[in-house]
Amino acid sequence: MIIAIDGPSGAGKSTVAKAVAQKLGFNCLDTGAMYRSIAWYALENGVGLDDSAALGRIAREKQIAFGHVEGDPVPRRVFIDGVEVTDAIRTARIDRSVSVVSAHPEVRAALVDQQRRLGHAGDFVIEGRDIGTVVFPGAEVKVFLTASNEERARRRVLQNESRGIGSTDFDEVLADIVRRDELDSSRATAPLAAAPDAVGLDSTGRSIEAVIDDICARARAARVVRG
Ligand code: DC
């Protein structure tokens, strides 16, 4: 079974996806981390963010892998080409460049291929922007998770504070969220959009636990209906 969780940055997708996967015993795939890893690799190696051919080559050829911290069932560690980038892909520098990188059709085609191969391997919660629309349009459960801009910025600041990486300035984070929404929603290939059959969940003023329980209940119902 595939549970697709799409939505803008900071809506709580990562927290929700990882908790749902843990509760249901599913695998979990953070596709944003894959786009971030390509952006990181490009910046590290002096590849221009407008060089679609070179970026596409990186996405096709460099292996992205996920790993576990010992004792943690959810894979939170990220590697590209054997180098761990778990923290390096969460910096403000990557926040600023990842929307540009992820807009290139060559990059998307390569990563979508990998996401499909991975997802076909079992039960998965997959979070991103285009999972319910493009990557797995046949996903049994599709959720489009949103929250107000201010709520998303507030959460991102708290997350950055606890991780000790990324900006903790509310206005800067809010501006970045608005800018990335604009870029992610207006790009030509696979823009951020809710699938027509996705359930819209607004997490503003709602506990993350309630959102997690809601999605788990939908997954259990879908499994019963499917038999
Ligand atoms: O979810 P995130 O903030 O880690 O995603 C990072 C960027 O990657 C985001 O700006 C949009 C892009 N992205 C995408 O285009 N498609 C996806 N399936 C996931 C992320």
Side-chain angles (χ1 to χ4, degrees):
M1 172 184 283
I2 300 281
I3 301 176
I5 303 183
D6 290 304
S9 77
K13 293 190 304 293
S14 278
T15 310
V16 167
K18 289 182 170 78
V20 168
Q22 208 163 344
K23 283 201 165 182
L24 298 177
F26 280 28
N27 297 299
C28 179
L29 179 62
D30 173 358
T31 62
M34 299 174 78
Y35 289 96
R36 287 172 177 272
S37 299
I38 303 301
W40 178 87
Y41 192 94
L43 291 176
E44 270 318 278
N45 291 281
V47 173
L49 299 186
D50 55 351
D51 190 343
S52 50
L55 291 168
R57 211 172 310 119
I58 296 169
R60 280 193 304 277
E61 293 172 4
K62 299 299 163 194
Q63 174 91 24
I64 298 170
F66 292 86
H68 295 260
V69 176
E70 221 184 293
D72 183 351
V74 175
R76 293 176 209 272
R77 300 176 72 191
V78 190
F79 301 82
I80 182 165
D81 210 24
V83 178
E84 177 155 17
V85 291
T86 310
D87 290 339
I89 60 170
R90 305 288 166 194
T91 60
R93 180 173 84 125
I94 301 295
D95 283 348
R96 280 193 301 273
S97 36
V98 64
S99 290
V100 178
V101 170
S102 63
H104 292 288
E106 292 86 343
V107 172
R108 304 202 70 82
L111 294 191
V112 166
D113 263 2
Q114 290 183 37
Q115 291 156 16
R116 287 190 180 137
R117 271 202 302 277
L118 281 166
H120 281 308
D123 290 326
F124 262 91
V125 182
I126 309 186
E127 54 147 317
R129 302 291 188 287
D130 59 343
I131 309 306
T133 51
V134 174
V135 186
F136 285 104
E140 287 86 345
V141 178
K142 294 185 189 181
V143 172
F144 196 78
L145 189 62
T146 56
S148 71
N149 292 352
E150 288 70 21
E151 175 87 7
R152 292 190 287 137
R154 200 179 57 75
R155 286 188 197 149
R156 187 47 62 87
V157 166
L158 287 176
Q159 194 178 54
N160 288 351
E161 270 170 5
S162 72
R163 282 183 171 145
I165 41 175
S167 174
T168 54
D169 181 278
F170 179 85
D171 291 333
E172 189 185 350
V173 170
L174 179 62
D176 179 66
I177 277 178
V178 170
R179 187 187 60 83
R180 273 209 287 152
D181 281 357
E182 175 63 31
L183 285 169
D184 293 342
S185 309
S186 63
R187 68 174 173 238
T189 310
L192 168 67
D197 52 348
V199 179
L201 295 181
D202 186 337
S203 67
T204 314
R206 199 170 168 206
S207 83
I208 285 289
E209 270 308 317
V211 174
I212 293 163
D213 289 345
D214 187 331
I215 298 173
C216 287
R218 288 174 196 279
R220 291 192 184 105
R223 185 149 263 179
V224 169
V225 169
R226 201 176 54 149

